[in-house]
Amino acid sequence: ALQDEVRRQADALKEWNVKLEQRVGEQVAQLGRMSQLKRFFAPAVADAIVSAGEKSILAPHRKEISYVFTDLRGFTAFTDSAEPEDVEAMLRDYQGAMGAIVDEYEGTLDRFAGDGILIFFNDPLPIPDPGKRAATMALKMQAVFVSLREGWLKLGYDLALGIGIAQGFATLGAFGFEGRLDYSAIGGVVNLASRLSDEAQSGQILIDRRMRAALGEAAEVESIGPLNLKGYAQPVPAFWLKRLA
């Protein structure tokens, strides 16, 4: 009887160990997924994606978003004359400061593209007033950039920040190939934000007509359009966003 009891306990312990290993394995896998998701999303959003099931949210879908495209003026000239170590240090400071602001406003990071930063709002989870959130973030970026610019000028680096924001529908989801997927947005709204960023002067934030309507009376803007943008057959109305009430 004693031997039977010992055998039952041994079997129970073995089964418990197997289940424990499975649970540990599942938790490690979940931590790995969280680590990957946090490359793009705020922690709360990443947690919601894991809880809901990645495939259901990360599958390609269509949604209205506010898209922000930032670009450094003078970056090409800077890289042509500066040492690679100086370029790396400058980008680290710039991306670190801007990335913290993206996190603060819970934007979804599309990607860093050299000196450009691409962000969108209202996906993968909906948020109230995505246009206002995007605009407020962009204004904060320009304000923080002032101190960065002053420091770089003392080192002889003449850099400025231009930002374009557009609102509209895009296809969103995880795109790429097995082993390397990026969560990104595709569509005309992305192209328009990029073209507006190209036109923005030092310190400017240019927005399209739909963003202007979304912001309403809370926004102080100046019409600077219509603009002749590359890839657009007709001139595009554009507005310089100066502040939000």
Side-chain angles (χ1 to χ4, degrees):
L2 180 59
Q3 290 180 341
D4 292 341
E5 180 63 24
V6 170
R7 189 179 301 110
R8 281 195 298 269
Q9 290 180 356
D11 291 341
L13 181 60
K14 183 178 181 180
E15 183 180 356
W16 185 84
N17 282 333
V18 170
K19 290 181 178 179
L20 180 60
E21 289 178 359
Q22 290 175 341
R23 290 181 62 186
V24 170
E26 291 170 358
Q27 290 176 346
V28 169
Q30 186 177 65
L31 287 173
R33 290 195 296 271
M34 285 291 290
S35 177
Q36 289 293 318
L37 290 169
K38 285 179 179 177
R39 293 171 56 203
F40 311 105
F41 309 122
V45 177
D47 183 60
I49 291 173
V50 172
S51 298
E54 289 180 60
K55 292 183 178 179
S56 63
I57 293 181
L58 302 185
H61 55 278
R62 183 171 169 81
K63 196 170 186 181
E64 186 174 20
I65 59 171
S66 297
Y67 199 95
V68 183
F69 200 112
T70 77
D71 184 64
L72 286 178
R73 303 290 174 264
F75 182 73
T76 300
F78 164 64
T79 56
D80 286 344
S81 60
E83 295 295 329
E85 295 80 4
D86 295 333
V87 176
E88 180 185 1
M90 185 280 298
L91 280 177
R92 185 168 57 248
D93 291 343
Y94 165 64
Q95 293 175 344
M98 298 298 109
I101 299 172
V102 174
D103 285 345
E104 178 184 352
Y105 290 94
E106 299 180 312
T108 299
L109 178 63
D110 191 328
R111 62 187 180 276
F112 288 106
D115 59 317
I117 306 175
L118 290 63
I119 313 111
F120 52 86
F121 291 84
N122 204 40
D123 186 84
L125 300 179
I127 59 172
D129 298 323
K132 185 176 182 181
R133 186 83 64 95
T136 305
M137 182 197 70
L139 288 165
K140 177 74 173 287
M141 284 179 160
Q142 288 289 15
V144 169
F145 189 83
V146 171
S147 61
L148 290 175
R149 174 177 164 78
E150 290 174 353
W152 293 332
L153 282 173
K154 293 176 182 178
L155 299 174
Y157 310 154
D158 188 7
L159 298 164
L161 182 64
I163 301 177
I165 312 177
Q167 184 154 317
F169 282 88
T171 299
L172 304 112
F175 301 100
F177 56 89
E178 188 65 29
R180 176 57 197 266
L181 295 173
D182 289 325
Y183 194 86
S184 187
I186 299 172
V189 64
V190 179
N191 298 331
L192 180 53
S194 174
R195 298 304 180 208
L196 290 173
S197 175
D198 290 341
E199 295 293 325
Q201 302 301 308
S202 173
Q204 274 191 332
I205 301 168
L206 298 188
I207 63 176
D208 74 330
R209 182 162 49 191
R210 294 188 71 168
M211 266 294 297
R212 172 70 187 93
L215 295 175
E217 297 302 317
E220 179 182 337
V221 301
E222 176 183 330
S223 176
I224 62 165
L227 297 177
N228 293 309
L229 302 179
K230 182 179 179 180
Y232 289 82
Q234 301 296 325
V236 177
F239 305 85
W240 174 10
L241 173 65
K242 297 184 175 181
R243 61 181 56 88
L244 288 174

